[in-house]
Amino acid sequence: QFALVLLNHVAFNTLEYAKTQVEWTSLAAKYATDNENPFNMKYVYRCHSIEEMDDNVRRLRVILASNAELDTGLAQDLFLRMAGNPKNLIILTQPVPQSRFPGAQLQQTPTPRVVDVLRRSTVALEGAELERYLE
């Protein structure tokens, strides 16, 4: 049995907002009487970081991570972590522009064995660079 994980920095807020929008749909009357909301998703783990997911979900999991291009954020972090293991399966749910990496590379047929990943990070300025910036 697999756990379903929504991995996003705003996972909780996204589902909470979706819950409030039901009143504007044709489903409002049905869910007002049933005291249920289709966005309660009681079987979905909402995680805001990979560390939170590792701490709270200790079984096999299906992970929904946003940013299909895999070029930033949690989706890229998760991709880098999972891609090295042939037991893992990565499914792209939408087409990716050819100019984006590594998502566009993964859409090639056959899927390449090696994918280029550009990893960006923020580094604090120090010394002369910091002084130039502060001028």
Side-chain angles (χ1 to χ4, degrees), residues 11-104:
F12 178 81
N13 294 348
T14 300
L15 290 179
E16 288 301 309
Y17 180 74
K19 284 182 198 179
T20 67
Q21 298 306 301
V22 169
E23 68 186 64
W24 297 100
T25 69
S26 60
L27 302 172
K30 177 183 181 345
Y31 291 109
T33 57
D34 290 349
N35 204 14
E36 267 297 312
N37 188 305
F39 294 102
N40 278 342
M41 297 188 187
K42 57 186 171 184
Y43 299 110
V44 175
Y45 292 88
R46 296 177 264 189
C47 298
H48 298 98
S49 69
I50 293 174
E51 294 78 20
E52 180 183 358
M53 178 183 67
D54 289 342
D55 291 344
N56 296 320
V57 186
R58 299 202 177 269
R59 58 183 177 163
L60 295 174
R61 50 198 165 203
V62 174
I63 306 164
L64 306 172
S66 61
N67 190 351
E69 290 88 9
L70 303 174
D71 59 354
T72 61
L74 293 174
Q76 185 183 61
D77 295 342
L78 191 62
F79 174 75
L80 292 172
R81 178 177 170 181
M82 296 181 69
N85 186 342
K87 292 182 179 180
N88 292 329
L89 176 63
I90 298 169
I91 301 172
L92 300 178
T93 59
Q94 63 191 36
V96 179
Q98 290 299 314
S99 61
R100 305 304 288 261
F101 291 102

